[in-house]
Amino acid sequence: MRIAIGCDHAGFDLKPTIKNYLIEKGIEIIDEGTYSSESVDYPEYAKKVAIDIISDKADLGILICGTGIGISIAANKIHGIRAVACSEPFSAKLSREHNNTNILAFGSRVIGSELAKMIIDVWLNAKFQGGRHQKRLDQMTQIEKDESLS
Ligand code: RB5
């Protein structure tokens, strides 16, 4: 399992805790920054992690900003990315089972590190259920391909 991780300055303090937690589980980490608490723009880090997934350098991604919102919206601009901003385990589980999310986003100003770890565990252990859910993902892929919308 390879996970790409990225954050902005707001997520910088939480990133090492998450990173070490995943390393302890034997997961290979690609750390796309940011690497200091200096103010940066979250779309850059969302894009790096999203491209790691799309180019098959990583299997999944974790993104952290202040709320998890901006960084997940930015990641979802990349075709093939299904990012969820999550602050509780129920949505994290269903986001995998029904939506096959490939990026989990957190708000460092919303949740603490122990809740983040719990959400990660639930997210990683949940399995996409396919079937009627695959049909809906296919419809989303078709929306991405539909040039008449752009
Ligand atoms: C940065 O101040 C903050 O706007 C960002 O981390 C994030 O919360 C945006 O959605």
Side-chain angles (χ1 to χ4, degrees), residues 8-11 39-40 42 64-72 107-109:
D8 71 356
H9 53 285
S39 181
V40 291
Y42 54 78
I64 316 162
C65 68
T67 59
I69 296 171
I71 208 159
S72 57
S108 63
R109 296 169 180 159

Side-chain angles (χ1 to χ4, degrees), residues 1-4 22-23 25-30 57-59:
M1 167 73 74
R2 304 155 303 164
I3 293 187
L22 294 169
I23 289 169
K25 289 176 178 290
I27 292 170
E28 185 187 323
I29 297 295
I30 302 168
K57 268 176 71 185
D59 302 300

Side-chain angles (χ1 to χ4, degrees), residues 1-3 17-29 62 114 116-125:
M1 167 73 74
R2 304 155 303 164
I3 293 187
T17 307
I18 302 298
K19 195 174 150 179
N20 292 335
Y21 186 63
L22 294 169
I23 289 169
E24 280 168 18
K25 289 176 178 290
I27 292 170
E28 185 187 323
I29 297 295
I62 292 184
E114 293 310 307
K117 289 177 194 172
M118 183 186 287
I119 293 170
I120 287 172
D121 283 343
V122 166
W123 189 67
L124 290 178
N125 288 329

Side-chain angles (χ1 to χ4, degrees), residues 52-64:
D52 283 345
I53 295 167
I54 295 308
S55 63
D56 201 30
K57 268 176 71 185
D59 302 300
L60 295 170
I62 292 184
L63 290 169
I64 316 162

